[in-house]
Amino acid sequence: MNDRSSFGSKFGIIAAVGGSVVGLGNIWRFPYIAGENGGGAFILIYFLISLTIAVPIMLSEFSIGRRAMCNARRAFPKVSPGTKWGFIGYLGIATAFTIISFYSVIAGWSMEFFFKAVANGFSEQTPEQITSEFNAFTSDGWAPLIWTLVFVLTTAFVVKAGIEKGIERYSKIFMPTLGLIIIGLGIHSLTLPGAGEGLDFLLTPDFSKVTAKTFIQALGQSFFSLSLGMGTMITYGSYIKKKENMFKVAGTVAVADIAVAIISGIMIFPAVFSFGISPTQGPELVFITLPSIFSMMPGGYIISVVFFFLLFLAAITSSISIFEVLVSYVSEEMRMSRRKAVLLTTLAISFTGTLCVFSLTPDSAIAIGGQNLFDLCNLVSSDYMLPIGGLFIVIFTGWSMKKQVLYNELTSDGRFGTKLFKAFYLLVRFVIPVIISILFLSILGFI
Ligand code: PHE
């Protein structure tokens, strides 16, 4: 497949991969998960897990993808012919669906909130008003549905334009914009009166709150945030040219991802403390707590507009990567043109997204075991599906792929990172599988 598309430049790769990893996971999810798990101690564990477990998995995914030069489903049998690992690809496709279904809903909320901010809709509202309006909006069904569909269509528009002319081109504009906005908002937050307390909460570790669950949540958050465990990086890896240094790409985006998560914390917690709000607000932190704060803050108008625009940018560059996993699968496995594959994927996601939207309406029957579909997708995807996918991916890399093939791919035939290979191989063969398995066994009550 010599005519396969690829990313055009080094900066393009970093922007596209960085666009995938930096998303709602950093700005919407990380702060409330860190808040619920005690702040500083969680962040320390998250940091360690990201560097020792997540980065090697990202390198494994890149190697599989670039070796196979095809979609995430076909990649496994292509790299190790005659083995039975193809199911990992199907698990990835299922996970991609699970994530994009609820992700588009939140991204839709960010669009609604952006326009509301532009119309000065938060000013002079009490926190109670903001809460009841948010609840009324999300439980309405139709209004969030329209935004979800607008978001899915916008994503489809970018993906349809292809790798270099679509994903890479837009990421190259969106990501630097996002970087500037987030740094600006972070600096502004540090000037607020309660900044010290917020930073203390974020950075001082309190180990009394750490349990096995903290580790699983940190693991899940790190997989979600770095887009790992479902084949996103296999798909993007298949568009990386052989001459590129994958260690550099993985290292850069991992550092950027952690930095954006921490800056998001810095952006949010000082404000939370300075207005006397509880840090453990859950998924609504960004949509209820923050607007309440914006309404009280000097300059809150402009900050709210910029913030929700940031949230939208972060969401779209990530959702295009999830979309691309599905589109490359559909177009290659069902032998369809890219156009048709995008259409089919859009229809399917619109359907599952609609189910998630309506699972939030009052007395909705779209629930399993008493939990609505939206919450279920959020929870199951990052705490179970991604880590399990990641576990299989490292086992595949460490035990099924031939060592020499892996070495050649990972190091670009001995050009980059050859000294790191030994440590990498040890991690993917033994250390990472053992750690993930122990965490799961302890969560399931076996240890
Ligand atoms: N990494 C993205 C975020 O942080 C979400 C994502 C998960 C994207 C899995 C692709 C695959 O928002």
Side-chain angles (χ1 to χ4, degrees), residues 17-29 95-96 99 103 221-233 257 314-315 317-323 325 386:
V17 178
S20 171
V21 305
V22 172
L24 295 173
N26 307 60
I27 306 169
W28 163 76
R29 202 171 190 280
T95 312
I99 294 182
Y103 205 87
Q221 173 60 24
S222 139
F223 276 78
F224 187 82
S225 194
L226 285 166
S227 311
L228 299 174
M230 56 162 254
T232 318
M233 294 303 154
D257 189 63
T317 47
S318 298
S319 72
I320 53 187
S321 71
I322 309 177
F323 221 93
V325 171
L386 294 177

Side-chain angles (χ1 to χ4, degrees), residues 270-282:
V272 166
F273 280 93
S274 109
F275 289 93
I277 291 168
S278 157
T280 56
Q281 270 278 332

Side-chain angles (χ1 to χ4, degrees), residues 395-415:
I395 296 179
F396 176 85
T397 316
W399 297 90
S400 178
M401 233 171 135
K402 288 203 182 74
K403 188 174 176 185
Q404 193 59 39
V405 168
L406 177 64
Y407 178 86
N408 288 348
E409 199 54 64
L410 184 67
T411 63
S412 301
D413 292 325
R415 252 191 291 172

